[in-house]
């Protein structure tokens, strides 16, 4: 028997091996197998099987799983994701079936016949090491033994043996504030659990939104809420894996790879805040879980409920095309909040910062709390010598440097370089250094110095991951919260005044999605913090009218029109083709090869670029616009060219 194996490496081809006939019952499509590869052993995925002996082929080491771990619909989903995101099958399967999913560690053998009594209650891992694998596989095929997991005590059955709810159900896009969304989610979950079905809920992160929803839902559905994801210990993750594979009436929360998790009797998928970039996987297989969730609901026939205070432009546009029920509870229109815009035409940030500090003090003196949003989390950026006027640039790529005072380091936003900060200009030796832009670290330092009698906390993604307590306990008096986008996930906090400092600078940070990002940040801050007053502190030269972003229907309509006129997503798809080489001389032939491959397919007129950038290495970036099915074969050919990377639907162009 010849087995074609997809390996979790960035190549599109499969590798062929032979397998003994006695392993035939345990080698199925997408089951995991251990194979020799060069001078090491890798775990791969069965992509195809054919009869024959295959002279010269190496033999697989062993099947890793007693039966396939994916259901047939999930296998279809994996194949769709491979095509849609132009990614090798083995790389996609690496996320659908993580290689660190050590199922055998938590499985034991249960004897069902006298012939297998010696194996009763033995850990599967021990059996595989000490006994003949063929004997165990024979016992499994004959029913002489079964497997059970030690975390839940349940039988471990083939994935295709788990029940399917076949619930059907409608697809809903719901816009509303956090309280109305919670009411919708709770009612929906209760309905499905009463029928003995399970619900999968995707969340953008574990530490902020994830922690909040886990706590709230656990209070409503005690003992039935589980988290699945790399953010929790492996043992807890595996308990969730086994439990939702067999149990009924469960809610499983997760992000990213959870969208591929086998769930018994899955009848509904909930996606919270689909617009968040935190969903996007940044390494290896770059995919967007909310998009995959829509397809999973389609292939499994489940209900789908997408809820947000500000859905993504793509979801808003596609909802009508894909038969969604659109529900808007008009929360943004009906909100009660006073808006105040402060402007300054000063050449530096000092005047605006002082004006904001005065406003903060007035609010605090009334016994009310304040939250300050700024788009940058560092101390300062666009660093310049005040004596020779020359900028501090990255020594690796000449990109803009950001200063982090807490660590005394400089980081490059272009190549991610990290350097020690030396308070001396390398051009003239000057020691007077200034920043053209400031971030949360600087604002925190300034506010602490100006208002020493009030508690101040900085809220950032790092703070949540480190488990830092950022909120004052109830009744402790007014406080000041300073932070970036994670402020928009503090659902347990109410502030009287929300202040946005440098919000208008986001127009230079997110490419064609800049206005959409500004909209999401503003609306989600209002949703989470429920302020009574909003204050905008803007540079007059960059002034942006907030009213435009607070009329949801008008904003979506205008943004969609601009994108359609420019032929940008969601009206077309984009694919970023990137060539990375250490030297320009080494990279140019690769760029030429890519362009020749596109020309042979008649696609050269659809490409923009290349644009060359110098980071740690030289990078050439090209954009291809169009339909993925049309480009799939061409892009796979390009994928196999060494040092070429392809990203579908890049978020910032």
């Amino acid at each position: 028997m010849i087995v074609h194996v997809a390996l979790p490496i960035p190549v599109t081809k499969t590798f062929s091996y032979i397998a003994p006939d006695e392993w035939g019952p345990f080698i199925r499509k997408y089951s995991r197998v251990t194979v020799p590869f060069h001078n090491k052993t890798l775990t791969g995925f069965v992509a195809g099987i054919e009869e024959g002996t295959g002279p010269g082929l190496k033999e697989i080491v062993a099947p890793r799983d007693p039966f396939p771990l994916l259901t047939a619909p999930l296998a279809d989903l994996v194949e769709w994701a491979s095509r849609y995101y132009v990614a090798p099958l083995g790389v996609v399967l690496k996320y659908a079936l993580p290689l660190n999913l050590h199922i055998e560690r938590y499985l034991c053998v249960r004897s069902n016949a006298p012939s297998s009594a010696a194996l009763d209650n033995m850990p599967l891992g021990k059996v595989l090491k000490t006994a003949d694998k063929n004997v165990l596989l024979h016992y499994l095929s004959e029913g002489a033994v079964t497997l059970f997991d030690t975390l839940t005590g349940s039988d471990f059955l083939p994935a295709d043996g788990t029940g399917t709810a076949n619930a059907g159900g409608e697809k809903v896009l719901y816009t509303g504030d956090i309280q109305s969304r919670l009411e919708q989610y709770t009612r929906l979950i209760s309905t499905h659990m009463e029928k003995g079905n399970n619900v999968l809920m995707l969340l953008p992160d574990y530490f902020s939104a994830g922690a909040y929803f886990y706590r709230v839902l656990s209070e409503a559905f005690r003992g039935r809420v589980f988290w699945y994801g790399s953010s929790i210990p492996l043992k807890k993750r595996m308990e969730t894996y086994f439990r939702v594979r067999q149990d009924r009436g469960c809610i499983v929360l997760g992000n990213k790879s959870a969208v591929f998790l086998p769930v018994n009797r899955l009848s509904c998928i909930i996606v919270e805040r689909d617009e968040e970039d935190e969903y996007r996987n940044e390494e290896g297989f770059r995919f967007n879980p909310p998009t995959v969730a829509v397809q999973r609901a389609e292939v499994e026939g489940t209900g789908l409920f997408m809820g947000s205070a500000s859905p993504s432009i793509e979801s808003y546009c596609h909802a009508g095309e894909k038969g969604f029920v659109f529900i808007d509870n008009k929360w943004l229109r009906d909100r009660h909040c006073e808006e105040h815009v402060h402007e300054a035409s000063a050449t530096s940030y000092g005047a605006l910062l002082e004006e904001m500090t005065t406003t903060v003090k007035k609010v605090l003196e009334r016994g009310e709390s304040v939250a300050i949003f700024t788009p940058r989390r560092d101390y300062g950026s666009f660093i310049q010598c005040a004596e020779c006027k020359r900028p501090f640039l990255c020594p690796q790529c000449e990109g803009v440097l950001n200063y982090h005072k807490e660590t005394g380091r400089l980081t490059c936003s272009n190549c991610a370089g990290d350097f020690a900060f030396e308070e001396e200009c390398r051009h003239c030796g000057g020691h007077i250094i200034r920043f053209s832009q400031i971030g949360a670290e600087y604002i925190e330092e300034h506010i602490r110095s100006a208002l020493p009698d009030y508690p101040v906390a900085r809220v950032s993604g790092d703070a949540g991951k480190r488990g830092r307590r950022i909120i004052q306990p109830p009744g402790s008096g007014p406080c000041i919260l300073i932070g970036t986008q994670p402020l928009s996930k503090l659902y347990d906090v109410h502030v009287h005044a929300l202040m946005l400092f440098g919000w208008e600078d986001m127009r230079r940070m997110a490419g064609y999605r800049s206005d959409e990002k500004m909209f999401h940040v503003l609306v989600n801050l209002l949703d989470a913090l429920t302020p009574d007053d909003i204050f905008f502190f803007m540079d007059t030269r960059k002034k942006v009218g907030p009213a435009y972003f607070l009329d949801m229907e008008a904003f979506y309509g205008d943004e969609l029109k601009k994108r359609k006129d420019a032929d940008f997503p969601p009206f077309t798809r984009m694919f970023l083709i990137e060539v990375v080489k250490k030297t320009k001389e080494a990279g140019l032939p690769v760029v030429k090869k890519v362009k020749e491959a596109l020309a042979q397919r008649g696609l050269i007129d659809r490409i923009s670029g290349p644009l060359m950038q110098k980071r740690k290495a030289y990078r050439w970036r090209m954009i291809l616009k169009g339909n993925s099915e049309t480009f799939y074969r061409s892009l796979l050919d390009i994928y196999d060219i060494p040092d070429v990377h392809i990203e579908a639907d890049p978020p910032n162009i």
Side-chain angles (χ1 to χ4, degrees), residues 260-459:
F260 294 105
L261 178 67
V263 179
N264 177 39
R265 293 190 61 84
L266 177 65
S267 61
C268 183
I269 301 173
I270 298 173
V271 181
E272 160 70 3
R273 282 175 64 161
D274 70 287
E275 73 277 5
E276 293 290 338
D277 283 344
E278 287 174 280
Y279 274 119
R280 296 176 185 269
N281 199 51
E282 296 181 355
E283 297 180 0
F285 172 38
R286 297 185 175 185
F287 67 101
N288 188 26
T291 302
V292 179
V294 174
Q295 182 65 18
R296 178 169 183 175
E298 186 72 26
V299 299
E300 292 205 72
T302 70
L304 177 68
F305 193 98
M306 304 181 76
S308 176
S310 61
S312 68
I313 292 289
E314 285 77 7
S315 294
Y316 188 89
C317 177
H318 291 155
E321 301 172 358
K322 297 183 178 180
F324 276 69
V325 175
F326 179 63
I327 303 174
D328 181 3
N329 78 349
K330 308 294 183 183
W331 78 276
L332 190 60
R333 183 197 63 187
D334 297 337
R335 85 193 197 292
H336 300 287
C337 186
E338 295 294 327
E339 298 150 26
H340 312 269
V341 178
H342 297 256
E343 301 174 36
S345 56
T347 56
S348 72
Y349 47 79
L352 274 175
L353 187 57
E354 289 301 327
E355 186 174 355
M356 183 176 72
T357 303
T358 300
T359 307
V360 169
K361 184 178 180 181
K362 290 178 181 178
V363 174
L364 295 171
E365 288 174 344
R366 297 199 301 262
E368 300 172 348
S369 294
V370 177
I372 301 172
F373 167 83
T374 185
R376 297 179 177 86
R377 68 177 184 176
D378 49 40
Y379 188 85
S381 57
F382 294 92
I383 309 167
Q384 186 181 51
C385 173
E387 297 180 33
C388 72
K389 312 300 183 187
R390 298 181 72 172
F392 281 36
L393 297 178
C394 175
Q396 294 181 163
C397 71
E398 298 186 348
V400 173
L401 291 172
N402 305 312
Y403 173 51
H404 302 267
K405 190 172 183 178
E406 276 189 346
T407 60
R409 308 290 294 179
L410 295 172
T411 59
C412 176
S413 54
N414 188 43
C415 72
D418 187 291
F419 318 96
F421 175 61
E422 297 178 3
E423 203 164 338
E424 178 179 293
C425 176
R426 64 176 179 174
H427 301 292
C428 72
H431 291 84
I432 303 177
I433 311 300
R434 67 183 184 187
F435 308 98
S436 299
Q437 303 289 345
I438 59 173
E441 280 187 29
Y442 187 100
I443 293 174
E444 179 190 13
E445 181 182 86
H446 177 84
I447 292 291
R448 284 186 184 277
S449 175
L451 303 169
D453 297 330
Y454 296 96
V456 179
R458 178 155 44 89
V459 182

Side-chain angles (χ1 to χ4, degrees), residues 11 26 172 182 217 227 239 252 260 263 315 376 386 422 437 468 523 549 565:
V11 295
F26 303 96
V172 176
L182 266 177
L217 293 176
W227 182 272
E239 180 183 353
V252 56
F260 294 105
V263 179
S315 294
R376 297 179 177 86
E422 297 178 3
Q437 303 289 345
R468 180 188 298 174
V523 173
F549 296 90
D565 291 344

